[in-house]
Coordinates of all heavy atoms in Angstrom, one line a residue:
M1253 N 86.9 93.5 104.1 CA 86.8 93.7 102.5 C 88.3 94.3 102.1 O 89.0 94.9 102.9 CB 85.8 94.7 102.3 CG 85.7 95.0 100.8 SD 84.1 95.9 100.4 CE 84.1 95.9 98.7
W1254 N 88.6 94.0 100.9 CA 89.8 94.5 100.4 C 89.7 96.0 99.7 O 88.6 96.4 99.4 CB 90.2 93.7 99.1 CG 90.7 92.3 99.5 CD1 89.8 91.1 99.3 CD2 91.9 91.8 100.2 NE1 90.5 90.0 99.8 CE2 91.6 90.4 100.2 CE3 93.1 92.5 100.5 CZ2 92.8 89.7 100.8 CZ3 94.1 91.7 100.9 CH2 93.7 90.3 101.2
Y1255 N 90.7 96.7 99.8 CA 90.7 98.1 99.4 C 92.0 98.4 98.6 O 93.1 97.9 98.9 CB 90.6 99.1 100.6 CG 89.2 98.9 101.3 CD1 89.1 98.1 102.3 CD2 88.2 99.7 100.9 CE1 87.9 97.8 103.0 CE2 86.9 99.6 101.4 CZ 86.8 98.7 102.5 OH 85.5 98.5 103.1
V1256 N 91.8 99.1 97.5 CA 92.9 99.6 96.8 C 93.3 101.1 97.3 O 92.5 101.9 97.5 CB 92.6 99.8 95.3 CG1 93.7 100.4 94.5 CG2 92.3 98.4 94.6
I1257 N 94.6 101.1 97.6 CA 95.1 102.5 98.0 C 96.1 102.9 97.1 O 97.1 102.3 96.8 CB 95.7 102.4 99.4 CG1 94.6 102.0 100.5 CG2 96.3 103.7 99.9 CD1 95.2 101.6 101.8
E1258 N 95.8 104.0 96.4 CA 96.9 104.6 95.4 C 97.3 106.0 95.8 O 96.4 106.9 96.0 CB 96.1 104.8 94.1 CG 95.7 103.5 93.3 CD 95.3 103.5 92.0 OE1 94.0 103.8 91.9 OE2 96.0 103.6 91.0
G1259 N 98.6 106.0 96.0 CA 99.2 107.3 96.3 C 99.9 107.8 95.1 O 100.5 107.0 94.4
Y1260 N 99.7 109.1 94.9 CA 100.3 109.8 93.6 C 101.4 110.7 94.1 O 101.2 111.7 94.9 CB 99.2 110.4 92.9 CG 98.1 109.4 92.3 CD1 97.0 109.1 93.1 CD2 98.3 109.0 91.1 CE1 96.1 108.3 92.6 CE2 97.3 108.2 90.5 CZ 96.3 107.8 91.4 OH 95.3 106.8 90.8
D1261 N 102.6 110.5 93.7 CA 103.8 111.2 94.0 C 103.7 112.7 93.5 O 103.2 112.9 92.4 CB 105.2 110.7 93.5 CG 105.5 109.5 94.4 OD1 104.6 108.9 95.1 OD2 106.7 109.1 94.3
G1262 N 104.1 113.6 94.3 CA 104.3 115.0 93.7 C 105.6 115.1 92.9 O 106.2 114.1 92.5
A1263 N 105.9 116.2 92.6 CA 107.0 116.4 91.7 C 108.3 116.7 92.6 O 108.2 117.1 93.7 CB 107.0 117.7 90.9
Q1264 N 109.4 116.1 92.1 CA 110.6 116.2 92.8 C 110.6 115.7 94.1 O 111.2 116.4 95.0 CB 111.2 117.7 92.6 CG 111.3 118.3 91.3 CD 112.1 117.5 90.3 OE1 113.3 117.2 90.7 NE2 111.7 117.3 89.1
V1265 N 110.1 114.5 94.5 CA 110.0 114.0 95.8 C 110.9 112.8 96.1 O 110.6 112.2 97.2 CB 108.4 113.6 96.2 CG1 107.7 115.0 96.1 CG2 107.9 112.7 95.3
L1266 N 111.7 112.4 95.2 CA 112.4 111.2 95.4 C 113.3 111.2 96.7 O 113.2 110.2 97.5 CB 113.3 110.9 94.2 CG 114.1 109.6 94.2 CD1 113.2 108.4 94.4 CD2 115.0 109.5 93.0
E1267 N 113.9 112.2 97.1 CA 114.7 112.3 98.2 C 113.8 112.2 99.4 O 114.1 111.4 100.5 CB 115.4 113.7 98.3 CG 116.4 113.7 99.4 CD 117.2 115.0 99.3 OE1 117.8 115.3 98.3 OE2 117.3 115.7 100.4
R1268 N 112.7 112.8 99.5 CA 111.6 112.7 100.5 C 111.1 111.2 100.7 O 110.9 110.7 101.7 CB 110.5 113.6 100.4 CG 110.9 115.1 100.8 CD 109.7 116.0 100.8 NE 109.7 116.5 99.4 CZ 108.7 117.3 98.9 NH1 107.6 117.4 99.6 NH2 108.7 117.9 97.8
R1269 N 110.9 110.6 99.5 CA 110.5 109.2 99.4 C 111.4 108.3 100.2 O 111.1 107.4 100.9 CB 110.0 108.8 98.0 CG 109.7 107.4 97.8 CD 109.5 107.0 96.4 NE 108.2 107.2 95.9 CZ 107.2 106.2 96.0 NH1 107.5 105.0 96.5 NH2 106.1 106.4 95.7
M1270 N 112.7 108.5 99.8 CA 113.7 107.5 100.3 C 113.8 107.8 101.7 O 114.1 106.8 102.5 CB 115.1 107.8 99.4 CG 115.0 107.4 98.1 SD 114.1 105.9 97.6 CE 115.2 104.7 98.3
A1271 N 113.8 109.1 102.3 CA 113.8 109.3 103.7 C 112.8 108.6 104.5 O 113.0 108.3 105.6 CB 113.9 110.7 103.9
A1272 N 111.6 108.5 104.0 CA 110.5 107.9 104.7 C 110.2 106.5 104.4 O 109.3 105.9 104.9 CB 109.2 108.8 104.3
R1273 N 110.9 105.9 103.5 CA 110.8 104.6 102.9 C 110.6 103.5 104.1 O 109.7 102.7 104.2 CB 111.7 104.3 102.0 CG 111.5 102.8 101.4 CD 112.5 102.6 100.2 NE 112.1 101.4 99.4 CZ 112.7 100.4 99.6 NH1 113.6 100.2 100.6 NH2 112.3 99.2 99.0
E1274 N 111.7 103.6 105.1 CA 111.7 102.6 106.0 C 110.4 102.5 106.8 O 109.9 101.5 107.1 CB 113.0 102.8 106.8 CG 113.2 101.5 107.8 CD 113.3 100.2 107.3 OE1 113.9 100.1 106.2 OE2 112.7 99.2 107.8
Q1275 N 109.9 103.6 107.3 CA 108.7 103.7 108.1 C 107.5 103.3 107.3 O 106.6 102.6 107.8 CB 108.5 105.2 108.6 CG 109.5 105.6 109.6 CD 109.4 107.1 110.0 OE1 109.2 107.9 109.1 NE2 109.4 107.4 111.3
H1276 N 107.5 103.6 106.0 CA 106.4 103.2 105.1 C 106.4 101.8 105.0 O 105.2 101.2 105.1 CB 106.7 103.9 103.7 CG 105.7 103.3 102.7 ND1 104.5 103.8 102.5 CD2 106.0 102.6 101.6 CE1 103.9 103.3 101.4 NE2 104.8 102.4 100.9
L1277 N 107.5 101.0 104.8 CA 107.7 99.7 104.7 C 107.2 98.9 106.0 O 106.7 97.8 105.9 CB 109.0 99.2 104.3 CG 109.4 99.6 102.8 CD1 110.9 99.2 102.5 CD2 108.4 98.9 101.8
Q1278 N 107.6 99.6 107.1 CA 107.2 98.9 108.4 C 105.8 98.7 108.5 O 105.2 97.6 108.9 CB 107.8 99.7 109.6 CG 109.2 99.6 109.7 CD 109.9 100.5 110.8 OE1 109.0 101.2 111.4 NE2 111.1 100.6 111.0
R1279 N 105.0 99.6 108.1 CA 103.5 99.6 108.1 C 103.0 98.5 107.2 O 102.1 97.8 107.5 CB 102.9 100.9 107.8 CG 103.3 102.0 108.8 CD 102.7 103.3 108.4 NE 101.2 103.5 108.8 CZ 100.4 103.7 108.0 NH1 100.5 104.0 106.7 NH2 99.0 103.8 108.5
L1280 N 103.6 98.4 106.1 CA 103.3 97.3 105.0 C 103.6 96.1 105.6 O 102.8 95.0 105.5 CB 103.9 97.5 103.6 CG 103.5 98.9 103.0 CD1 104.2 99.1 101.7 CD2 102.0 98.7 102.5
V1281 N 104.8 95.7 106.3 CA 105.1 94.5 106.8 C 104.2 94.1 107.9 O 103.8 92.9 108.1 CB 106.6 94.6 107.2 CG1 107.0 93.4 108.3 CG2 107.5 94.6 106.2
A1282 N 103.7 95.0 108.7 CA 102.7 94.9 109.7 C 101.4 94.3 109.2 O 100.7 93.3 109.7 CB 102.5 96.1 110.6
L1283 N 101.0 94.8 108.0 CA 99.8 94.3 107.4 C 100.0 93.0 106.9 O 99.2 92.1 107.0 CB 99.4 95.2 106.2 CG 98.6 96.5 106.5 CD1 98.4 97.3 105.2 CD2 97.3 96.3 107.2
R1284 N 101.2 92.7 106.3 CA 101.5 91.5 105.7 C 101.5 90.4 106.8 O 100.9 89.3 106.8 CB 102.8 91.4 105.0 CG 103.3 90.1 104.4 CD 104.8 90.0 104.2 NE 105.5 90.0 105.5 CZ 106.8 90.1 105.6 NH1 107.5 90.4 104.7 NH2 107.4 90.2 106.9
D1285 N 102.2 90.7 107.9 CA 102.3 89.7 109.0 C 101.0 89.5 109.6 O 100.7 88.4 110.3 CB 103.3 90.3 110.1 CG 104.7 90.4 109.6 OD1 104.9 89.8 108.6 OD2 105.5 90.8 110.3
A1286 N 100.1 90.3 109.5 CA 98.6 90.1 110.0 C 97.8 89.4 109.0 O 96.5 89.2 109.2 CB 98.0 91.4 110.4
G1287 N 98.4 89.1 107.8 CA 97.6 88.4 106.8 C 96.6 89.3 106.0 O 95.7 88.8 105.4
R1288 N 96.8 90.6 106.0 CA 95.9 91.6 105.4 C 96.4 92.2 104.2 O 95.7 93.1 103.7 CB 95.4 92.6 106.5 CG 94.9 92.1 107.7 CD 94.6 93.0 108.9 NE 94.2 94.3 108.4 CZ 94.3 95.4 108.9 NH1 95.0 95.4 110.1 NH2 93.9 96.6 108.5
L1289 N 97.6 91.9 103.7 CA 98.3 92.5 102.6 C 98.1 91.6 101.4 O 98.7 90.5 101.4 CB 99.7 92.9 102.8 CG 100.3 93.7 101.8 CD1 99.7 95.1 101.6 CD2 101.8 93.8 102.1
L1290 N 97.5 92.0 100.3 CA 97.4 91.3 99.0 C 98.7 91.6 98.2 O 99.4 90.7 97.7 CB 96.2 91.5 98.3 CG 96.0 90.8 97.0 CD1 96.0 89.2 97.3 CD2 94.7 91.1 96.4
L1291 N 99.0 92.9 98.0 CA 100.1 93.3 97.3 C 100.5 94.7 97.6 O 99.6 95.5 98.0 CB 100.0 93.2 95.8 CG 99.0 93.8 95.0 CD1 99.5 95.3 94.6 CD2 98.4 93.1 93.9
A1292 N 101.6 95.2 97.4 CA 102.1 96.5 97.5 C 103.3 96.9 96.8 O 104.2 95.9 96.6 CB 102.4 96.8 99.0
G1293 N 103.5 98.1 96.3 CA 104.7 98.4 95.5 C 104.6 99.7 94.8 O 103.5 100.3 94.6
P1294 N 105.8 100.3 94.5 CA 105.9 101.6 93.8 C 105.6 101.4 92.3 O 105.8 100.5 91.7 CB 107.2 102.0 94.1 CG 108.0 100.7 94.1 CD 107.1 99.8 94.7
C1295 N 105.2 102.5 91.7 CA 105.1 102.6 90.2 C 106.2 103.5 89.7 O 106.3 104.7 89.8 CB 103.7 103.2 89.9 SG 102.3 102.3 90.5
P1296 N 107.1 102.9 89.0 CA 108.3 103.6 88.5 C 107.7 104.7 87.5 O 106.9 104.5 86.8 CB 109.1 102.6 87.6 CG 108.7 101.2 88.4 CD 107.3 101.4 88.7
A1297 N 108.3 105.8 87.5 CA 108.0 107.0 86.7 C 108.3 106.7 85.2 O 107.7 107.3 84.3 CB 108.7 108.2 87.2
I1298 N 109.3 105.8 85.0 CA 109.7 105.4 83.6 C 109.5 103.9 83.4 O 109.3 103.2 84.5 CB 111.0 105.9 83.3 CG1 112.1 105.2 84.1 CG2 111.2 107.3 83.2 CD1 113.5 105.5 83.8
D1299 N 109.5 103.5 82.2 CA 109.4 102.0 81.9 C 110.7 101.3 82.3 O 111.4 100.8 81.4 CB 109.0 101.7 80.4 CG 108.6 100.4 80.1 OD1 108.4 99.6 81.2 OD2 108.5 100.0 79.1
A1300 N 111.0 101.1 83.5 CA 112.2 100.4 84.1 C 111.9 99.9 85.5 O 111.3 100.5 86.2 CB 113.4 101.4 84.0
E1301 N 112.5 98.7 85.7 CA 112.5 98.1 87.0 C 113.0 99.2 88.0 O 112.5 99.3 89.1 CB 113.2 96.8 87.0 CG 113.2 96.0 88.3 CD 111.7 95.4 88.7 OE1 111.0 95.2 87.6 OE2 111.5 95.2 89.7
D1302 N 114.2 99.6 87.7 CA 114.9 100.6 88.6 C 114.9 102.0 87.9 O 115.8 102.1 86.9 CB 116.4 100.2 89.0 CG 117.1 101.2 89.9 OD1 116.6 102.3 90.1 OD2 118.2 100.8 90.2
P1303 N 114.0 102.9 88.2 CA 113.9 104.2 87.5 C 115.0 105.1 87.9 O 115.1 106.1 87.2 CB 112.5 104.6 87.9 CG 112.4 104.2 89.3 CD 113.1 102.8 89.3
G1304 N 115.9 104.8 88.7 CA 117.0 105.6 89.0 C 116.4 107.1 89.4 O 115.5 107.2 90.2
P1305 N 117.1 108.2 89.0 CA 116.7 109.5 89.4 C 115.4 110.0 88.9 O 114.7 110.9 89.3 CB 117.8 110.4 88.8 CG 118.6 109.5 87.8 CD 118.3 108.2 88.2
A1306 N 114.8 109.2 87.9 CA 113.4 109.5 87.4 C 112.4 109.2 88.5 O 111.4 109.9 88.6 CB 113.0 108.7 86.3
G1307 N 112.7 108.4 89.5 CA 111.9 108.2 90.7 C 110.6 107.4 90.3 O 110.5 106.6 89.5
F1308 N 109.6 107.7 91.1 CA 108.3 107.0 91.0 C 107.1 107.9 90.8 O 107.2 109.0 91.2 CB 108.1 106.1 92.2 CG 109.2 105.1 92.4 CD1 110.4 105.5 93.1 CD2 109.1 103.9 91.9 CE1 111.4 104.7 93.3 CE2 110.3 103.0 92.0 CZ 111.4 103.4 92.8
S1309 N 106.0 107.4 90.1 CA 104.9 108.3 89.9 C 103.8 108.0 91.1 O 102.9 108.7 91.3 CB 104.3 108.0 88.7 OG 103.7 106.6 88.7
G1310 N 104.2 107.0 92.0 CA 103.3 106.6 93.1 C 103.4 105.4 93.5 O 104.3 104.7 93.3
S1311 N 102.3 104.8 94.3 CA 102.3 103.5 94.9 C 101.1 102.9 94.8 O 99.9 103.7 94.9 CB 102.9 103.5 96.3 OG 104.1 104.1 96.5
L1312 N 100.9 101.5 95.0 CA 99.7 100.8 95.0 C 99.8 99.9 96.2 O 100.8 99.2 96.3 CB 99.5 100.1 93.7 CG 98.2 99.2 93.6 CD1 96.9 100.1 93.4 CD2 98.4 98.2 92.5
V1313 N 98.7 99.8 97.0 CA 98.5 98.9 98.0 C 97.1 98.4 97.9 O 96.3 99.1 97.8 CB 98.6 99.6 99.4 CG1 98.4 98.6 100.5 CG2 100.0 100.2 99.6
V1314 N 97.0 96.9 98.0 CA 95.8 96.2 98.1 C 95.7 95.6 99.5 O 96.6 94.6 99.6 CB 95.5 95.4 97.0 CG1 94.1 94.6 97.0 CG2 95.6 96.1 95.7
A1315 N 94.9 96.0 100.4 CA 94.9 95.4 101.7 C 93.5 95.2 102.3 O 92.6 95.9 101.7 CB 95.8 96.3 102.6
E1316 N 93.4 94.5 103.3 CA 92.1 94.2 103.9 C 91.9 95.1 105.1 O 92.8 95.3 105.9 CB 92.0 92.8 104.3 CG 90.7 92.2 104.7 CD 90.6 90.8 104.9 OE1 91.6 90.2 105.4 OE2 89.6 90.2 104.6
F1317 N 90.8 95.7 105.1 CA 90.4 96.6 106.2 C 89.0 96.3 106.6 O 88.2 95.7 105.8 CB 90.5 98.0 106.0 CG 92.0 98.5 105.6 CD1 92.5 98.5 104.4 CD2 92.8 98.8 106.8 CE1 93.9 98.9 104.3 CE2 94.1 99.1 106.6 CZ 94.7 99.2 105.4
G1318 N 88.4 96.8 107.8 CA 87.2 96.5 108.3 C 86.1 97.4 107.7 O 84.9 97.1 107.6
S1319 N 86.5 98.6 107.1 CA 85.6 99.5 106.5 C 86.4 100.5 105.4 O 87.7 100.5 105.6 CB 84.9 100.3 107.5 OG 85.7 101.1 108.2
L1320 N 85.8 101.1 104.7 CA 86.3 102.2 103.9 C 86.9 103.2 104.7 O 88.1 103.7 104.5 CB 85.3 102.8 102.9 CG 85.8 103.8 101.9 CD1 87.0 103.4 101.1 CD2 84.8 104.3 101.1
E1321 N 86.2 103.6 105.8 CA 86.8 104.6 106.6 C 88.1 104.2 107.4 O 89.0 105.0 107.5 CB 85.8 105.0 107.8 CG 84.6 105.7 107.3 CD 83.5 104.7 106.5 OE1 83.5 103.5 106.8 OE2 82.8 105.1 105.8
E1322 N 88.2 102.9 107.7 CA 89.5 102.4 108.3 C 90.6 102.4 107.3 O 91.7 102.8 107.7 CB 89.1 100.9 108.8 CG 90.3 100.4 109.5 CD 90.1 99.0 110.0 OE1 89.0 98.6 110.3 OE2 91.1 98.1 109.9
A1323 N 90.3 102.0 106.1 CA 91.2 102.0 105.0 C 91.8 103.4 104.7 O 93.0 103.7 104.6 CB 90.7 101.5 103.8
R1324 N 90.9 104.4 104.7 CA 91.2 105.9 104.5 C 92.1 106.4 105.7 O 93.1 107.0 105.5 CB 89.9 106.7 104.4 CG 89.3 106.6 103.0 CD 88.2 107.5 102.8 NE 87.6 107.4 101.5 CZ 86.4 107.5 101.1 NH1 85.5 107.8 102.1 NH2 85.9 107.3 99.8
A1325 N 91.7 106.1 106.9 CA 92.5 106.5 108.0 C 93.8 105.9 107.9 O 94.9 106.7 108.2 CB 91.7 106.1 109.3
W1326 N 93.9 104.7 107.6 CA 95.4 104.0 107.5 C 96.2 104.8 106.4 O 97.4 104.9 106.7 CB 95.2 102.5 107.2 CG 96.4 101.9 107.2 CD1 97.1 101.1 108.3 CD2 97.4 101.6 106.1 NE1 98.2 100.6 108.0 CE2 98.5 101.0 106.6 CE3 97.4 101.9 104.8 CZ2 99.6 100.4 105.8 CZ3 98.4 101.6 104.0 CH2 99.4 100.9 104.4
A1327 N 95.6 105.0 105.2 CA 96.3 105.7 104.2 C 96.7 107.1 104.6 O 97.8 107.5 104.2 CB 95.3 105.7 103.0
E1328 N 95.8 107.8 105.2 CA 96.2 109.1 105.6 C 97.3 109.2 106.5 O 98.0 110.2 106.8 CB 94.8 109.8 106.2 CG 94.0 110.1 105.1 CD 92.5 110.7 105.6 OE1 92.4 110.8 106.7 OE2 91.6 110.7 104.7
A1329 N 97.5 108.2 107.4 CA 98.5 108.1 108.3 C 99.9 107.6 107.9 O 100.8 107.5 108.5 CB 98.1 107.2 109.6
D1330 N 99.9 107.4 106.6 CA 101.1 107.0 105.9 C 102.4 107.9 105.9 O 102.1 109.1 105.8 CB 100.8 106.6 104.4 CG 102.0 105.8 103.9 OD1 103.1 106.3 103.6 OD2 101.8 104.5 103.6
P1331 N 103.5 107.4 106.3 CA 104.7 108.3 106.3 C 105.0 109.1 105.1 O 105.4 110.2 105.1 CB 105.8 107.4 106.6 CG 105.2 106.3 107.4 CD 103.9 106.1 106.7
Y1332 N 104.6 108.6 103.9 CA 104.8 109.3 102.6 C 103.8 110.5 102.6 O 104.1 111.5 102.0 CB 104.5 108.4 101.5 CG 105.6 107.4 101.1 CD1 105.4 106.5 100.2 CD2 106.8 107.5 101.7 CE1 106.5 105.5 99.8 CE2 107.9 106.6 101.5 CZ 107.7 105.7 100.5 OH 108.6 104.7 100.1
V1333 N 102.6 110.4 103.2 CA 101.8 111.5 103.4 C 102.3 112.6 104.2 O 102.4 113.8 103.8 CB 100.3 111.2 103.8 CG1 99.5 112.4 104.1 CG2 99.7 110.3 102.9
E1334 N 102.9 112.2 105.4 CA 103.4 113.1 106.4 C 104.7 113.7 105.7 O 104.9 115.0 105.9 CB 103.8 112.4 107.6 CG 104.4 113.3 108.7 CD 104.8 112.4 110.0 OE1 103.9 111.6 110.3 OE2 105.8 112.8 110.5
A1335 N 105.4 113.0 104.9 CA 106.7 113.5 104.4 C 106.4 114.5 103.1 O 107.3 115.0 102.5 CB 107.6 112.5 104.0
G1336 N 105.2 114.5 102.6 CA 104.9 115.3 101.5 C 105.3 114.6 100.2 O 105.3 115.1 99.1
V1337 N 105.4 113.3 100.1 CA 105.7 112.5 99.0 C 104.4 112.4 98.1 O 104.5 112.8 96.9 CB 106.1 111.0 99.2 CG1 106.3 110.3 98.0 CG2 107.4 111.2 100.0
Y1338 N 103.4 112.1 98.6 CA 102.0 112.0 98.0 C 101.3 113.3 97.9 O 101.2 113.9 98.9 CB 101.1 110.9 98.6 CG 101.4 109.4 98.6 CD1 101.1 108.6 99.6 CD2 102.5 109.0 97.6 CE1 101.4 107.3 99.6 CE2 102.8 107.6 97.7 CZ 102.2 106.7 98.7 OH 102.6 105.5 98.8
E1339 N 101.0 113.6 96.7 CA 100.1 114.9 96.5 C 98.7 114.6 96.6 O 97.9 115.5 97.0 CB 100.4 115.5 95.2 CG 100.1 114.8 93.9 CD 100.5 115.6 92.7 OE1 101.1 116.6 92.7 OE2 99.9 115.1 91.6
R1340 N 98.3 113.3 96.5 CA 97.0 112.9 96.7 C 96.9 111.3 96.9 O 97.8 110.6 96.4 CB 96.0 113.3 95.6 CG 96.1 112.5 94.3 CD 95.0 113.0 93.3 NE 94.7 112.1 92.3 CZ 95.3 111.9 91.2 NH1 96.3 112.6 90.9 NH2 94.9 110.9 90.3
V1341 N 95.9 110.9 97.6 CA 95.8 109.6 97.9 C 94.3 109.1 97.5 O 93.3 109.8 98.0 CB 96.0 109.1 99.4 CG1 95.8 107.6 99.6 CG2 97.6 109.5 99.6
E1342 N 94.0 108.0 97.0 CA 92.7 107.6 96.5 C 92.5 106.1 97.2 O 93.4 105.4 97.1 CB 92.5 107.5 95.1 CG 92.5 108.9 94.4 CD 92.2 108.7 93.0 OE1 91.9 107.6 92.4 OE2 92.4 109.8 92.1
V1343 N 91.4 106.0 97.8 CA 91.1 104.6 98.4 C 89.8 104.2 97.9 O 88.7 105.0 97.9 CB 90.9 104.7 100.0 CG1 90.7 103.5 100.6 CG2 92.3 105.4 100.5
R1344 N 89.7 103.0 97.3 CA 88.5 102.4 96.8 C 88.4 101.0 97.3 O 89.2 100.2 97.4 CB 88.5 102.4 95.3 CG 88.6 103.8 94.7 CD 88.6 103.8 93.2 NE 89.4 102.9 92.5 CZ 90.7 103.0 92.2 NH1 91.4 104.1 92.6 NH2 91.4 102.1 91.4
P1345 N 87.1 100.5 97.3 CA 86.9 99.1 97.6 C 87.5 98.3 96.4 O 87.4 98.7 95.3 CB 85.3 98.9 97.7 CG 84.8 100.4 98.0 CD 85.9 101.3 97.4
F1346 N 87.8 97.1 96.8 CA 88.3 96.2 95.6 C 87.7 94.7 96.0 O 87.8 94.3 97.0 CB 89.9 96.1 95.8 CG 90.5 95.2 94.9 CD1 90.8 95.5 93.6 CD2 90.9 93.9 95.3 CE1 91.3 94.7 92.7 CE2 91.6 93.0 94.4 CZ 91.8 93.4 93.1
R1347 N 87.2 94.2 94.9 CA 86.7 92.8 94.9 C 87.8 91.9 94.2 O 87.9 91.9 93.0 CB 85.2 92.8 94.1 CG 84.7 91.6 94.2 CD 83.3 91.5 93.7 NE 82.9 90.1 93.3 CZ 82.3 89.9 92.1 NH1 81.9 90.7 91.4 NH2 82.0 88.6 91.8
R1348 N 88.4 91.1 95.0 CA 89.3 90.1 94.6 C 88.6 88.9 93.8 O 87.7 88.3 94.4 CB 90.2 89.6 95.7 CG 91.1 88.6 95.2 CD 92.0 88.1 96.4 NE 93.0 87.2 95.8 CZ 93.8 86.7 96.7 NH1 93.7 86.8 98.0 NH2 94.7 85.7 96.2
V1349 N 89.1 88.7 92.6 CA 88.4 87.7 91.8 C 89.5 86.4 91.5 O 89.4 85.3 91.7 CB 87.8 88.0 90.5 CG1 87.5 86.9 89.6 CG2 86.7 89.1 90.7
L1350 N 90.6 86.9 91.1 CA 91.8 86.1 90.8 C 93.1 86.5 91.3 O 93.2 87.7 91.4 CB 92.0 85.8 89.3 CG 90.8 85.1 88.5 CD1 91.0 85.2 87.0 CD2 90.7 83.6 89.0
P1351 N 94.0 85.8 91.7 CA 94.0 84.3 91.9 C 93.2 84.0 93.1 O 93.0 84.7 94.1 CB 95.4 83.9 92.1 CG 96.1 85.1 92.6 CD 95.3 86.2 92.1

């Protein structure tokens, strides 16, 4: 089943986000290479493609996991969680309709 994983950035975490970014991306690439990633990306804190020093308000991942517990465990092991970038993470089932 598909799951939506939303990570919400804390305040003043851009430097920590950038330091953990490569490890975070490696996990997403592994999901993609396994055919389990629908989409992933950050949410700019301002209305701009490149928010610069404003940073990001969080991230969104839609990926396939065997269960809600598996999706939560994957999300909790994210380098952004370990680095203190996300102040909270929400995981919910997602029903893909389009495309």
Side-chain angles (χ1 to χ4, degrees):
M1253 181 165 191
W1254 294 101
Y1255 294 89
V1256 172
I1257 300 169
E1258 289 182 274
Y1260 296 86
D1261 285 20
Q1264 307 298 317
V1265 296
L1266 183 57
E1267 189 173 309
R1268 283 184 264 168
R1269 176 183 264 274
M1270 298 315 293
R1273 184 173 188 266
E1274 186 58 37
Q1275 292 174 320
H1276 171 78
L1277 290 176
Q1278 287 174 4
R1279 297 177 81 233
L1280 293 170
V1281 167
L1283 283 177
R1284 181 201 65 197
D1285 291 351
R1288 297 173 45 207
L1289 183 66
L1290 183 60
L1291 65 91
C1295 301
I1298 60 173
D1299 189 14
E1301 182 74 23
D1302 179 358
F1308 300 90
S1309 62
S1311 302
L1312 176 75
V1313 175
V1314 180
E1316 190 173 35
F1317 293 94
S1319 67
L1320 181 58
E1321 293 77 23
E1322 184 183 329
R1324 284 183 175 146
W1326 186 91
E1328 290 169 6
D1330 194 287
Y1332 283 173
V1333 171
E1334 183 178 320
V1337 174
Y1338 294 155
E1339 66 180 7
R1340 80 178 198 276
V1341 177
E1342 296 181 7
V1343 181
R1344 301 186 307 279
F1346 177 77
R1347 185 173 154 221
R1348 183 178 178 182
V1349 175
L1350 294 170

